Amino acid sequence: MMFEEYKIDEETINDICKTIKPLKLKDISSTTSTEKGYQTENIVRHFSEDLLKKILPIKNLWKDIWHIHYIKYSSGGYQAPHNHPNERYSAIFYLNNSDGPTVFEAPINKKVMPIRGKSVIFEGPIFHYGEKSFNNKEVLVIAIGKI
């Protein structure tokens, strides 16, 4: 069972933010599990190969990234319980310090606090959700390998 937490450096977080902040993208949150938040469409095309390597330095998994989206929660925003059954792995990257931990259900049974630079990679079929956030939580979500 793949579940791994790791930290990405401040320079990489800044490069991610420089990549996504200028983008003017449609909010698609109404068609997703994101509640009270802004969620982009797939933005993987905006990321350089070098940045993908820095974001996901585990076992050359960066080569299998096929989808990235950005979420910024409004006050009281959260992620409804869901999974990613068509993804081999999923990853969440916390872009700021916030509240509203991500909760991973069985077989992981763990809460992960959103701390800037913290990253977690897990098997796509694992159910998870984000508790309510009141501090403008920002995350990058990555799909790795199609099933």
Side-chain angles (χ1 to χ4, degrees):
M1 179 70 43
M2 165 73 93
F3 183 87
E4 188 171 331
E5 293 179 59
Y6 63 99
K7 183 116 167 104
I8 55 177
D9 62 53
E10 191 64 25
E11 179 183 346
T12 301
I13 292 289
N14 289 335
D15 288 346
I16 291 168
C17 292
K18 286 178 196 169
T19 299
I20 61 178
K21 293 298 180 185
L23 301 177
K24 305 289 186 223
L25 300 167
K26 185 172 90 173
D27 178 5
I28 65 161
S29 60
S30 65
T31 63
T32 71
S33 298
T34 300
E35 302 290 339
K36 293 187 178 180
Y38 165 83
Q39 180 174 323
T40 70
E41 59 198 356
N42 188 356
I43 57 174
V44 69
R45 69 187 179 279
H46 298 284
F47 288 77
S48 70
E49 184 176 298
D50 286 341
L51 185 51
L52 292 176
K53 287 178 185 178
K54 290 180 186 177
I55 290 171
L56 195 57
I58 299 169
K59 301 178 187 174
N60 284 324
L61 288 175
W62 67 270
K63 293 178 182 179
D64 295 326
I65 294 173
W66 59 275
H67 182 99
I68 298 176
H69 63 266
Y70 165 74
I71 303 172
K72 182 172 184 175
Y73 295 93
S74 302
S75 183
Y78 64 95
Q79 194 71 213
H82 67 285
N83 68 349
H84 307 269
N86 299 322
E87 300 169 17
R88 183 171 173 212
Y89 302 114
S90 298
I92 302 171
F93 298 88
Y94 301 96
L95 300 176
N96 64 339
N97 294 322
S98 191
D99 58 347
T102 304
V103 179
F104 293 91
E105 296 181 352
I108 304 302
N109 298 315
K110 184 171 184 170
K111 283 187 181 186
V112 175
M113 288 304 298
I115 298 169
R116 182 177 171 94
K118 181 180 263 191
S119 307
V120 60
I121 184 169
F122 56 97
E123 292 184 22
I126 295 172
F127 275 88
H128 58 286
Y129 60 93
E131 292 184 354
K132 286 186 179 182
S133 172
F134 296 93
N135 294 321
N136 301 312
K137 180 167 75 172
E138 295 182 61
V139 298
L140 202 65
V141 180
I142 297 182
I144 307 148
K146 292 183 181 182
I147 295 178

